[in-house]
Amino acid sequence: MAAKHISWAEPFKIKMVEPLFMTTRAHREKALEAAGSNTFLLRSEDVYIDLLTDSGTSAMSDRQWAGLMLGDEAYAGSRNFYHLEEAIHRYYGYKHVIPTHQGRGAENLISKILIKPGDVVPGNMYFTTTKLHQELAGGMFTDIIVDEAHDPNSGFTFKGNVDLSKLQGVINTYGAERIPYVSIATTVNMAGGQPISLANLQALREFTSKHGIRIIHDMTRVAENAYMIQQLEEGQGNKSIAAIVKEICSLTDGATMSAKKDALVNIGGFLATNEWDVFEEARNLVVIYEGLHTYGGLAGRDMEAMAIGIEESVQDAHIRARVGQVFYLGHKLLDMGIPIVKPVGTHGVFLDAKAFLPHLRQTAFPAQALAAELYIDSGVRAMERGIVSAGRDQKTGEHCFPELELVRLTIPRRVYTQAHMDVVAESVQRVFEQRHSVTGLRMTYEPKYLRFFQARFEKLPAA
Ligand code: F0G
């Protein structure tokens, strides 16, 4: 964890501010009850420091805001689309681009195009929306990430790595022809924001090429992954973030992007591919689900902000400060003795709810209960990433029981200060001191898809 000691002072100063409001404990108790103990159902007005997600919550730069004024809102062939296309060619290197309203729009397209019923999609851990689109297209996701990724206490540096022997096992069972692609995320969100190494990706490229299998890259946090490679991978320290990002992309055949994360915009995404046939099909399908292939559900101004955000996101000084702030919070919590996923990830700090609340069984939703408790304590909003997020098994209808039962303190980019991180750490510490009095939850409403977004819960009585 060498990056801990690097100065991460922000390479910007603040030009515009938005007031925050603190609420009383009594107010928060009422608000949480109205939200069915689900932080997704809180009104943001009732939140003090919002660490629900780093998605769409970044502060844009003055250049991006200026870009909004240059929106060319033509229905077809907007100038901003060509700027976006240029930025993607320059910084990511993919040949063909289809804008989408956000990441899951791109996931829908690629899943529909490449997956046939009965197919199997191996990946370095699941992501909620990605997996669901694979399933809706008739496919089955299967996890081929290294075992270390499922252990919050393993200090392994590249927990996003693929275990090639697991991939070989999937090929032995199903045959390469039933694997339309391997789904690779940089970084791995559900493992705690953990990176894949360049060496592992290179080995995967070699392996999949031999079997004629594509790699589709979920590049939502690719710059953050590149930073970890630059800091921690043998022989990569002298490369720029921009160079590593491009190298990662060059090892894959196509990508889905939620530009709401790395690319520093409040809305937007795209599908990219190096294959003409896939592009043609996507260009046709996008008009059904998103809009014409030169806007994909976005305003011209959104595409302009994205083009500028992509360029800003691969600057070394930016990414050092971004990950530096996450590391600051993570190491502060570690110093306090709080159980978190190790090593600290790049977009947030993940509390280990199983270790935090060992008296709660997993069916009492410990991470959901912990996120609720943290909100009550200080108005800090976090997100459950455990059994609720994992959903139910497609075949048996039973809960999936993930090894990792986590609460994610996700840090928006360029939004909060070091002092805010201190407030968060102090609140986590207070909840930790009172952890024995935290009770579990019972689910009272469960939506069919992606239940974590809208599920409702009730507190169980104290044991
Ligand atoms: N892939 C990853 C790794 C993600 O983290 C997300 C979104 C998506 C795909 C889908 O993109 O939201 O633009 O449709 N993650 C958000 C989060 C929701 O809070 O982690 P989207």
Side-chain angles (χ1 to χ4, degrees):
M1 279 180 267
K4 181 185 174 184
H5 304 292
I6 293 173
S7 163
W8 58 274
E10 290 85 351
F12 55 80
K13 55 185 176 175
I14 297 166
K15 180 153 21 197
M16 192 188 282
V17 297
E18 178 183 337
L20 292 176
F21 298 101
M22 188 58 182
T23 50
T24 62
R25 191 179 175 98
H27 177 97
R28 292 193 294 275
E29 278 169 354
K30 257 171 73 187
L32 190 72
E33 202 185 330
S37 290
N38 187 346
T39 52
F40 274 104
L41 300 179
L42 287 167
R43 291 173 179 234
S44 85
E45 282 176 339
D46 295 329
V47 172
Y48 175 39
I49 297 174
D50 201 348
L51 306 186
L52 183 71
T53 176
D54 62 330
S55 181
T57 52
S58 297
M60 293 206 295
S61 68
D62 50 359
R63 287 177 65 236
Q64 285 177 291
W65 279 100
L68 291 187
M69 298 305 292
L70 302 175
D72 169 5
E73 305 306 344
Y75 188 91
S78 160
R79 173 192 327 126
N80 313 116
F81 166 73
Y82 296 103
H83 291 169
L84 174 62
E85 196 182 45
E86 242 172 70
I88 293 168
H89 288 160
R90 178 172 315 145
Y91 294 105
Y92 302 144
Y94 294 113
K95 282 189 192 143
H96 311 293
V97 178
I98 303 271
T100 56
H101 76 284
Q102 58 184 77
R104 67 198 73 180
E107 292 168 354
N108 176 38
L109 297 178
I110 199 72
S111 304
K112 279 200 159 64
I113 294 167
L114 295 180
I115 299 172
K116 294 187 303 302
D119 280 354
V120 179
V121 185
N124 58 347
M125 205 174 264
Y126 84 101
F127 184 71
T128 53
T129 58
T130 323
K131 172 169 166 261
L132 182 55
H133 278 298
Q134 291 161 359
E135 291 171 353
L136 290 173
M140 182 183 82
F141 172 82
T142 182
D143 193 6
I144 54 163
I145 204 164
V146 292
D147 286 341
E148 288 87 341
H150 295 282
D151 174 5
N153 290 313
S154 156
F156 187 59
T157 310
F158 291 103
K159 282 181 162 182
N161 281 0
V162 164
D163 181 335
L164 287 179
S165 67
K166 289 187 187 174
L167 179 56
Q168 182 66 59
V170 180
I171 292 176
N172 295 347
T173 309
Y174 299 98
E177 60 296 338
R178 279 177 67 189
I179 304 175
Y181 59 90
V182 174
S183 178
I184 291 301
T186 55
T187 55
V188 181
N189 191 352
M190 301 304 278
Q194 304 295 330
I196 180 170
S197 72
L198 209 48
N200 186 254
L201 191 57
Q202 279 158 348
L204 178 70
R205 173 76 289 178
E206 219 171 282
F207 186 91
T208 50
S209 295
K210 247 186 2 219
H211 293 276
I213 300 172
R214 297 178 188 83
I215 301 176
I216 298 295
H217 177 200
D218 178 347
M219 60 181 301
T220 294
R221 297 181 181 84
V222 67
E224 293 176 6
N225 198 122
Y227 180 69
M228 300 308 280
I229 289 172
Q230 184 195 55
Q231 293 300 307
L232 300 175
E233 189 167 347
E234 248 337 267
Q236 304 299 329
N238 293 327
K239 293 184 188 162
S240 67
I241 296 300
I244 299 172
V245 164
K246 201 144 180 196
E247 195 170 343
I248 292 172
C249 294
S250 77
L251 293 165
T252 68
D253 301 292
T256 55
M257 173 61 146
S258 171
K260 302 171 71 172
K261 283 82 164 173
D262 244 16
L264 297 163
V265 285
N266 303 123
I267 193 73
F270 60 81
L271 171 66
T273 172
N274 293 333
E275 294 173 83
W276 177 260
D277 292 355
V278 173
F279 171 61
E280 265 218 300
E281 184 79 11
R283 191 171 54 173
N284 194 202
L285 267 188
V286 74
V287 297
I288 308 172
Y289 295 103
E290 309 277 322
L292 193 68
H293 62 282
T294 56
Y295 78 84
L298 297 170
R301 56 180 173 271
D302 297 330
M303 292 188 283
E304 190 65 26
M306 203 198 303
I308 299 167
I310 286 171
E311 183 190 335
E312 291 180 0
S313 75
V314 299
Q315 305 306 315
D316 285 57
H318 159 72
I319 203 77
R320 182 165 58 240
R322 188 287 183 277
V323 179
Q325 187 177 44
V326 178
F327 273 48
Y328 173 80
L329 176 62
H331 287 281
K332 193 162 176 118
L333 291 174
L334 280 175
D335 291 346
M336 288 171 165
I338 309 287
I340 65 169
V341 173
K342 294 182 270 290
V344 179
T346 62
H347 69 298
V349 178
F350 292 65
L351 306 177
D352 178 357
K354 280 187 184 169
F356 206 112
L357 303 173
H359 56 289
L360 298 187
R361 59 189 197 283
Q362 203 167 8
T363 47
F365 310 114
Q368 191 78 33
L370 180 53
E373 206 59 34
L374 188 64
Y375 170 73
I376 296 283
D377 181 72
S378 60
V380 169
R381 169 156 70 171
M383 184 197 290
E384 193 265 7
R385 295 272 80 156
I387 184 169
V388 185
S389 294
R392 290 184 183 272
D393 184 280
Q394 250 188 319
K395 287 203 189 95
T396 65
E398 294 299 316
H399 289 300
C400 297
F401 287 87
E403 282 300 311
L404 299 175
E405 178 71 24
L406 310 175
V407 171
R408 188 180 71 175
L409 302 164
T410 343
I411 315 299
R413 296 164 185 79
R414 310 194 291 205
V415 171
Y416 292 112
T417 65
Q418 185 167 334
H420 290 120
M421 297 301 111
D422 291 341
V423 170
V424 172
E426 285 155 21
S427 177
V428 173
Q429 189 176 37
R430 261 194 313 275
V431 174
F432 190 61
E433 281 160 8
Q434 301 151 21
R435 63 192 177 280
H436 303 296
S437 64
V438 177
T439 57
L441 299 170
R442 185 174 77 83
M443 204 185 314
T444 56
Y445 167 66
E446 179 175 358
K448 186 165 169 207
Y449 297 119
L450 303 174
R451 61 183 184 177
F452 57 95
F453 282 128
Q454 291 150 339
R456 300 183 68 84
F457 303 84
E458 241 171 39
K459 263 192 170 214
L460 289 170

